[in-house]
Amino acid sequence: QVQLVESGGGLVQAGGSLRLSCVVSGRTFSTYTMAWFRQGPGNERDVVAAIKWGGGSTYHADSAKGRFTISRDNAENTVYLQMNSLKPEDTALYYCAARKVPMVAITAGSYDYWGQGTQVTVSS
């Protein structure tokens, strides 16, 4: 059984930084495609960034480019999202997701496993 546990969310002022972490249980983590999604109140769950199992192929949404960076440590079964220059519009519940297919995807329906989410709130 695969479990994803996120951490690192919190309250931060605009312009600040946070690093989200997602620890994945399961012996085949290194082959999963991993992603971060976010969902604000009344909004759909949108992709923020994704990374292929080897780490060489990544995707960052336009809203994240230049500010957020996704990375992974297969030895630690962990994926990270470094978020810099945070804005109030980044406020959302951030979810970690895993996909068994070794290819980056940007739709929520493409992912097989989900964490419970970690709240990020950015004050102005």
Side-chain angles (χ1 to χ4, degrees):
Q1 186 174 354
V2 177
Q3 291 187 322
L4 285 68
V5 179
E6 304 101 331
S7 62
L11 174 63
V12 64
Q13 289 188 330
S17 298
L18 286 173
R19 188 175 80 155
L20 306 184
S21 299
C22 173
V23 179
V24 183
S25 64
R27 289 180 289 180
T28 57
F29 168 78
S30 62
T31 66
Y32 293 163
T33 299
M34 301 298 300
W36 287 96
F37 285 77
R38 68 185 183 186
Q39 187 169 19
N43 294 335
E44 294 184 350
R45 192 171 296 188
D46 295 324
V47 69
V48 176
I51 186 167
K52 196 176 175 183
W53 69 272
S57 177
T58 62
Y59 168 86
H60 292 82
D62 287 344
S63 60
K65 287 178 181 177
R67 300 188 301 128
F68 297 179
T69 303
I70 190 171
S71 62
R72 66 190 294 162
D73 184 340
N74 287 342
E76 297 294 329
N77 281 15
T78 303
V79 62
Y80 303 98
L81 184 67
Q82 177 66 44
M83 303 189 295
N84 300 326
S85 302
L86 282 161
K87 305 174 182 179
E89 51 263 45
D90 295 317
T91 294
L93 189 60
Y94 283 70
Y95 294 93
C96 177
R99 182 179 195 225
K100 292 181 284 187
V101 175
M103 183 179 298
V104 166
I106 63 172
T107 57
S110 300
Y111 286 80
D112 303 296
Y113 306 104
W114 292 86
Q116 293 299 306
T118 185
Q119 179 66 39
V120 172
T121 302
V122 185
S123 63
S124 57

